């Protein structure tokens, strides 16, 4: 049976209005402001581009957020239409509904509503508006309120904000999108503030011109791939409000040279950092240098392909900056027998907060992982565990499952294919698919007997 709720009268009225584009656009002059949000949502979902354009021009609220609406490739054209719809001059025709939109937020966020609660109908306050840039709407309006010499003959341009996430990856699609943003800013003659919160850069050296058009004070999530550390350090000197920093495949000749020291100095200035990802960034015996300068407790730490050593794991087990981690990723770092003790204490220290743990391709064996199991069983908040591509036997895998089933929060596990499923040389040999299926059936039976049908144990081969 179809359990989907039947459409409400509002749903039916909205769909009826959208079926007639001309009528829908004309109705925007008359409909109550409370109907704009459901009409916008339905028009966006139904990809009614012309109606969306008209809605934005007549939007009766100070802000408009994409929020939970899905933005896939087909919807990108709708985002472009929303940007093109922005108006910077008040309506001259008194018969036309005067637009109140000042902040257009094109970021996807499941927890964000389409409009913010209003203190008053004339308020331009938005809880997600820019707080750091000198070009933010509040600072511009504050400056304008101090000036009383404006000409009444010329309508003043409305200060506005366009909040976006930008990817400078060199693709034609992203270059065209960024060109659209630039053109709109130029068209506004300084009244539109382009506020980029999440910035992703591939090859920093090729993005200097684009970066010159952004106010980097706005960025709170920064990801940079395949760039020299010298260029990254220069960029970090301007991104002082970062909550999240992700660096991957960053070129650095020496961890003992001036370039690395300058990088560490910039890290020490980040007072809001909660997420740090250093992928393919060789930090052997230097992890302490990176983490000890942080002034805040990290919640998310990614260290894949970092060549972590015993001293690095030992520092992690003692480091106060990682004592409240929610996510830890040390994939592709060998954890040998001598590393087990510090890693055990690290897991023990974060046992009350850790929710996601990834220890794949770590050369774990039955003997090494058996040392870690007691600490794992204390991770009461653990929800996701990935430990695939380690040389574990079937007996140990069954023991791990048995000991982890009491963790009520743990729902998703990706486990390693036991060594008996491979040929003579294990990972270098052939894989017996029938044995893999037998392992999955056995684990499912154990989950059923433990009354943990809510747990999902899966695996996959390379």
């Amino acid at each position: 049976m179809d359990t989907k709720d039947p459409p409400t009268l509002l749903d039916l009225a909205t769909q009826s209005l959208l079926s007639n584009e001309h009528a829908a656009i004309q109705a925007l002059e008359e409909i109550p402001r409370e109907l704009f949000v459901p009409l916008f949502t339905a028009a966006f979902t139904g990809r009614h581009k012309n109606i969306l354009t008209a809605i934005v021009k007549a939007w009766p609220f100070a802000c408009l957020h994409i929020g939970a609406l899905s933005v896939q490739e087909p919807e990108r054209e709708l985002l472009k239409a929303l940007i093109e719809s922005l108006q910077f001059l008040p309506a001259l025709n008194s018969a036309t509904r005067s637009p109140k939109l000042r902040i257009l937020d094109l970021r996807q966020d499941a927890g964000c509503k389409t409009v913010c609660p209003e203190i008053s109908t004339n308020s331009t306050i938005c809880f997600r508006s820019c707080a750091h840039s000198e070009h933010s709407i509040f600072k511009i309006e504050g400056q304008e309120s101090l000036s009383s010499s404006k000409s009444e003959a010329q309508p003043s341009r409305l200060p506005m904000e366009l909040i976006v996430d930008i990817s400078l990856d060199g693709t034609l699609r992203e270059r065209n999108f960024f060109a659209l943003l630039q053109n709109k800013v130029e068209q506004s003659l300084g009244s539109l503030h382009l506020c980029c919160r999440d910035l992703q850069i591939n090859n920093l050296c090729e993005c200097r011109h684009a970066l010159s058009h952004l106010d980097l004070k706005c960025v709170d999530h920064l990801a940079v791939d395949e760039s020299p550390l010298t260029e990254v350090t220069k960029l970090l000197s301007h991104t002082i409000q970062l909550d999240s920093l992700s660096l991957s495949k960053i070129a650095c000749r020496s961890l003992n040279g001036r370039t690395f020291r300058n990088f560490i100095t910039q890290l020490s200035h980040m007072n809001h950092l909660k997420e740090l990802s250093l992928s393919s960034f060789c930090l052997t015996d230097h992890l302490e240098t990176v983490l000890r300068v942080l002034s805040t407790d990290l919640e998310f730490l990614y260290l894949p392909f970092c060549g972590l050593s015993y001293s690095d794991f030992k520092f992690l087990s003692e480091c106060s900056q990682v004592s409240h981690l929610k996510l830890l990723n040390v994939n592709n770092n060998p954890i040998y027998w001598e590393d087990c003790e510090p890693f055990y204490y690290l897991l023990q220290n974060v046992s009350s907060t850790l929710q996601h743990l990834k220890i794949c391709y770590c050369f774990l064996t039955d003997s090494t992982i058996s040392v870690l199991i007691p600490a794992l069983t204390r991770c009461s908040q653990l929800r996701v565990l990935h430990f695939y591509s380690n040389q574990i036997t079937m007996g140990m895998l069954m023991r791990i499952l048995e000991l982890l089933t009491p963790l009520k929060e743990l729902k998703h596990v990706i486990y390693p294919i036991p060594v008996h499923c491979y040929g003579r040389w294990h990972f270098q040999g052939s894989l017996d698919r029938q044995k893999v299926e037998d392992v999955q059936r056995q684990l499912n039976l154990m989950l059923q007997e433990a009354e943990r049908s809510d747990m999902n144990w899966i695996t996959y081969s390379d």
Side-chain angles (χ1 to χ4, degrees):
M1 285 183 64
D2 186 3
T3 58
K4 186 178 180 180
D5 293 335
T8 64
L9 289 176
L10 178 59
D11 295 331
L12 294 173
T14 300
Q15 292 303 323
S16 175
L17 194 58
L18 292 177
S19 65
N20 188 329
E21 181 177 292
H22 178 74
I25 294 175
Q26 290 295 113
L28 295 176
E29 297 293 333
E30 305 293 339
I31 63 173
R33 64 201 301 266
E34 291 77 15
L35 295 183
F36 269 78
V37 171
L39 186 61
F40 172 81
T41 302
F44 192 93
T45 304
R47 301 176 188 169
H48 298 277
K49 183 177 178 180
N50 292 335
I51 297 178
L52 277 175
T53 299
I55 290 175
V56 172
K57 291 181 178 179
W59 192 252
F61 304 97
C63 58
L64 170 56
H65 305 271
I66 292 297
L69 292 175
S70 174
V71 180
Q72 303 301 325
E73 187 60 32
E75 285 79 19
R76 287 183 65 87
E77 291 301 318
L78 299 182
L79 297 187
K80 295 178 182 178
L82 297 181
I83 295 171
E84 293 285 12
S85 303
L86 292 177
Q87 300 179 100
F88 308 110
L89 290 172
L92 298 178
N93 185 355
S94 60
T96 302
R97 195 170 207 157
S98 177
K100 292 184 173 59
L101 181 61
R102 311 297 293 281
I103 299 170
L104 177 60
D105 184 355
L106 300 184
R107 300 169 300 160
Q108 280 189 274
D109 185 347
C112 179
K113 295 183 178 180
T114 308
V115 296
C116 293
E118 290 184 314
I119 297 176
S120 70
T121 55
N122 294 323
S123 172
T124 58
I125 291 179
C126 171
F127 297 114
R128 295 174 181 259
S129 60
C130 183
H132 305 297
S133 173
E134 294 299 321
H135 306 288
S136 68
I137 190 171
F138 290 135
K139 292 185 179 180
I140 293 296
E141 288 188 337
Q143 294 170 3
E144 290 182 349
S145 65
L146 298 176
S147 174
S148 58
S149 60
K150 293 183 180 181
S151 171
E152 296 183 0
Q154 295 291 333
S156 61
R157 288 179 172 265
L158 301 172
M160 303 183 72
E161 286 180 8
L162 176 57
I163 306 176
V164 292
D165 294 335
I166 295 176
S167 175
L168 300 176
D169 60 6
T171 62
L172 179 61
R173 184 188 72 172
E174 295 301 337
R175 288 202 304 267
N176 289 341
F177 184 69
F178 191 76
L180 171 65
L181 297 175
Q182 284 183 270
N183 290 337
K184 201 62 182 179
V185 171
E186 293 172 1
Q187 178 187 334
S188 74
L189 299 180
S191 62
L192 177 63
H193 168 46
L194 180 59
C195 183
C196 174
R197 303 291 177 84
D198 190 316
L199 178 59
Q200 300 183 37
I201 303 172
N202 185 31
N203 197 334
L204 188 53
C205 296
E206 297 181 0
C207 301
R208 292 170 181 162
H209 177 71
L211 291 174
S212 67
H213 294 273
L214 297 177
D215 191 335
L216 297 176
K217 292 180 182 178
C218 303
V219 178
D220 52 32
H221 286 66
L222 175 65
V224 183
D225 295 345
E226 299 182 350
S227 303
L229 188 60
T230 51
E231 296 297 322
V232 171
T233 302
K234 292 176 185 177
L235 180 64
L236 293 181
S237 66
H238 300 286
T239 53
I240 58 177
Q241 303 295 337
L242 290 184
D243 296 323
S244 172
L245 173 63
S246 175
L247 303 177
S248 178
K249 301 178 181 177
I250 303 301
C252 178
R253 293 183 179 179
S254 171
L255 298 181
N256 297 310
R258 178 183 299 177
T259 297
F260 188 68
R261 290 197 299 271
N262 291 340
F263 167 67
I264 296 301
T265 299
Q266 291 304 323
L267 277 184
S268 68
H269 297 156
M270 295 183 182
N271 300 322
H272 309 284
L273 200 63
K274 293 295 183 183
E275 179 174 355
L276 178 62
S277 176
L278 301 172
S279 178
S280 300
F281 197 130
C282 186
L283 291 171
T284 306
D285 296 330
H286 285 78
L287 186 60
E288 178 180 0
T289 306
V290 174
L291 296 183
R292 70 182 178 185
V293 300
L294 300 180
S295 59
T296 58
D297 291 342
L298 292 174
E299 295 182 359
F300 307 92
L301 180 61
Y302 303 79
L303 298 170
F305 293 101
C306 284
L308 300 183
S309 65
Y310 170 82
S311 64
D312 295 321
F313 283 119
K314 188 174 187 300
F315 173 73
L316 278 175
S317 69
E318 303 167 350
C319 177
S320 62
Q321 286 90 340
V322 301
S323 60
H324 296 89
L325 285 180
K326 294 181 180 179
L327 183 150
L328 175 62
N329 181 342
V330 291
N331 287 349
N332 296 90
N333 289 284
I335 300 178
Y336 298 121
W337 176 258
E338 62 269 21
D339 304 316
C340 288
E341 182 179 6
F343 197 71
Y344 169 90
Y345 287 116
L346 170 61
L347 292 178
Q348 192 174 57
N349 290 342
V350 298
S351 61
S352 63
T353 59
L354 189 65
Q355 298 176 5
H356 295 248
L357 176 62
K358 298 184 178 183
I359 46 175
C360 310
Y361 295 96
C362 290
F363 293 92
L364 293 171
T365 63
D366 285 9
S367 58
T368 51
I369 202 167
S370 64
V371 176
L372 305 179
I373 290 177
L376 275 175
T377 60
R378 295 189 180 97
C379 295
S380 57
Q381 302 303 311
L382 192 63
R383 301 176 183 179
V384 177
L385 172 63
H386 293 181
F387 69 114
Y388 58 85
S389 294
N390 287 297
Q391 298 184 40
I392 306 298
T393 65
M394 183 61 183
M396 178 55 67
L397 183 60
M398 294 170 65
R399 180 187 173 199
I400 293 172
L401 184 146
E402 182 180 358
L403 293 175
L404 293 185
T405 48
L407 297 179
K408 298 303 181 182
E409 298 297 325
L410 184 58
K411 307 293 184 182
H412 303 283
V413 178
I414 303 183
Y415 64 87
I417 296 175
V419 292
H420 79 274
C421 296
Y422 289 88
R424 180 179 177 183
W425 297 109
H426 302 308
F427 295 108
Q428 288 77 20
S430 60
L431 180 64
D432 190 325
R433 300 288 176 179
Q434 183 59 52
K435 290 182 178 179
V436 174
E437 294 177 6
D438 293 340
V439 169
Q440 185 67 63
R441 277 194 293 269
Q442 179 64 35
L443 297 184
N444 288 342
L445 180 60
M446 293 179 66
L447 290 173
Q448 183 179 354
E449 292 175 349
E451 298 182 350
R452 287 303 308 270
S453 59
D454 60 324
M455 288 186 76
N456 185 27
W457 282 61
I458 62 171
T459 193
Y460 58 84
S461 58
D462 295 335

